[in-house]
Amino acid sequence: MRRRSLILAAVPAGLVTLAGCGDDKSDTSKASDSASPSAGATSAAPPPKIVDGPLPAITAGVKFGQKPTVAKGSGEPSDQLAVKTVIAGSGKTVAENDYIQAHCLGQIWDSGKVLLNSYDSKKMQFTRLAKGGNLEGWTYALTGKKTGSRVLFSVPPAWGFGKEGNTQAGITGTDTLVFVFDIQNTFNSTASAKGKDVPQNEAGMPKVGTNTDGKAPSIEIPKSKAPAKLVSNYVIEGDGAVLAADDTVLVQYKGVVWDTGKEFDSTYRSKALTSFSLQQVVPGWAQGLTGKKVGSRVVIVIPPSLGYGDNPPSGSGIEKDSTMVFSVDVIAKA
């Protein structure tokens, strides 16, 4: 199971029913616009065979990026993974453990009931393609495809939600699921900020390394007292879109405690980017990143009042009333 990021505020258990794509009208999207398909219990199923069909037809919205209409499945679905590249892209090749940025639609084979739909919200979603959990079929179906591709595929229970199904989403243990993914981009664990270095001349503030080789930047904490208010400064200023308060972001980050300089959380250490809505995280993160540009590296100093205060996560290594310092690379937004 993927380690839960320490930056996330509490999310009610059970709200995340399907990984990665959500309908804005559902509770799913309120809880998480992005989660790894590995977020469930480990699957014991062997790798599936990739077969050509059968697959239902896309009857409308046939262009890349258009909301597709998919017919109900006809007859019995395959008990393996049926995969068809409907539109072949020519961009970067998707690798296992990458985060992809994509539009997606999902429905039940027999009924055609739509379970996932990112097209209506006009916001693409981030999904990590990892083996070993619910919806593992996504990883097998999409690894090796290129950005710019539209992929239609079916996932039987063995590589979906297993014999238990997903009651909250209305999926039984015998349901085969059908998905359409329009893959816009893909990012691996070495993704870094891209932009112009910004002078770090402010007295009494941490200094952050400017390397962009995918390795963790250094964070030098001054011996002065931590600031009482939130600080958020560019280390590297990108030229991408500006983040809004309700955006979902894909980031690379490292966090240390001001008083000790001790690292307590890092995507570099876990060798996996992470994605979340700015409405899910501790207030200091949300406020510190809102208004910043995609492609940037930002240093955020979070006082206890905007972090964890006197109630830090158990086992985190963060003491009560600690000031936290983060280096954050904003890789993309949705």
Side-chain angles (χ1 to χ4, degrees):
M1 181 180 290
R2 192 167 54 128
R3 181 174 180 267
R4 188 174 186 270
S5 172
L6 294 176
I7 61 176
L8 294 178
V11 178
L15 284 184
V16 183
T17 59
L18 286 169
C21 302
D23 182 340
D24 276 358
K25 297 177 183 178
S26 71
D27 284 341
T28 299
S29 64
K30 294 176 185 176
S32 176
D33 286 334
S34 160
S36 166
S38 64
T42 300
S43 169
K49 294 179 181 178
I50 305 299
V51 297
D52 294 333
L55 283 166
I58 297 175
T59 58
V62 297
K63 294 182 180 180
F64 183 88
Q66 289 184 337
K67 178 185 175 181
T69 300
V70 181
K72 292 182 187 179
S74 177
E76 289 296 318
S78 174
D79 62 357
Q80 298 298 312
L81 213 66
V83 182
K84 180 180 180 181
T85 302
V86 180
I87 298 172
S90 58
K92 294 183 288 184
T93 300
V94 176
E96 185 179 337
N97 293 318
D98 278 4
Y99 263 93
I100 61 168
Q101 185 176 21
H103 271 308
C104 48
L105 181 137
Q107 63 189 50
I108 295 174
W109 175 281
D110 288 332
S111 66
K113 177 186 175 183
V114 174
L115 303 169
L116 308 175
N117 172 17
S118 71
Y119 295 89
D120 286 348
S121 69
K122 302 187 186 305
K123 284 192 173 185
M124 286 182 286
Q125 310 298 311
F126 296 116
T127 300
R128 186 179 177 216
L129 299 181
K131 293 176 183 175
N134 288 340
L135 289 174
E136 193 175 30
W138 288 6
T139 300
Y140 289 112
L142 299 175
T143 297
K145 303 301 182 186
K146 292 187 175 182
T147 58
S149 295
R150 166 169 283 191
V151 185
L152 169 68
F153 60 99
S154 66
V155 179
W159 297 280
F161 287 98
K163 295 179 180 179
E164 296 78 16
N166 186 310
T167 303
Q168 185 175 353
I171 301 169
T172 72
T174 60
D175 281 332
T176 289
L177 308 178
V178 179
F179 297 97
V180 176
F181 270 72
D182 286 335
I183 307 170
Q184 179 68 34
N185 212 335
T186 189
F187 306 92
N188 64 30
S189 61
T190 64
S192 292
K194 295 180 180 179
K196 182 179 179 181
D197 292 0
V198 175
Q200 301 178 67
N201 300 326
E202 189 173 353
M205 287 294 107
K207 300 293 189 295
V208 176
T210 57
N211 59 295
T212 57
D213 55 1
K215 296 180 181 179
S218 59
I219 301 179
E220 297 179 13
I221 307 296
K223 295 183 179 180
S224 55
K225 186 177 179 181
K229 295 183 179 181
L230 178 73
V231 176
S232 177
N233 295 328
Y234 282 120
V235 176
I236 298 172
E237 185 173 358
D239 60 2
V242 174
L243 298 182
D246 61 348
D247 276 337
T248 294
V249 294
L250 182 67
V251 299
Q252 185 93 271
Y253 74 89
K254 172 182 172 180
V256 303
V257 177
W258 180 287
D259 287 342
T260 64
K262 182 180 178 181
E263 179 184 304
F264 59 84
D265 202 8
S266 172
T267 57
Y268 300 96
R269 188 174 64 224
S270 64
K271 292 182 170 51
L273 304 176
T274 194
S275 176
F276 49 80
S277 166
L278 290 181
Q279 296 179 321
Q280 286 180 288
V281 292
V282 294
W285 259 75
Q287 294 175 28
L289 288 182
T290 299
K292 294 297 190 282
K293 298 174 186 176
V294 172
S296 299
R297 176 170 296 165
V298 182
V299 58
I300 308 175
V301 182
I302 302 179
S305 61
L306 295 175
Y308 291 111
D310 62 358
N311 189 30
S314 176
S316 65
I318 304 170
E319 301 293 332
K320 291 182 179 180
D321 299 317
S322 289
T323 294
M324 300 181 291
V325 181
F326 289 93
S327 170
V328 185
D329 283 15
V330 184
I331 307 302
K333 78 163 209 167

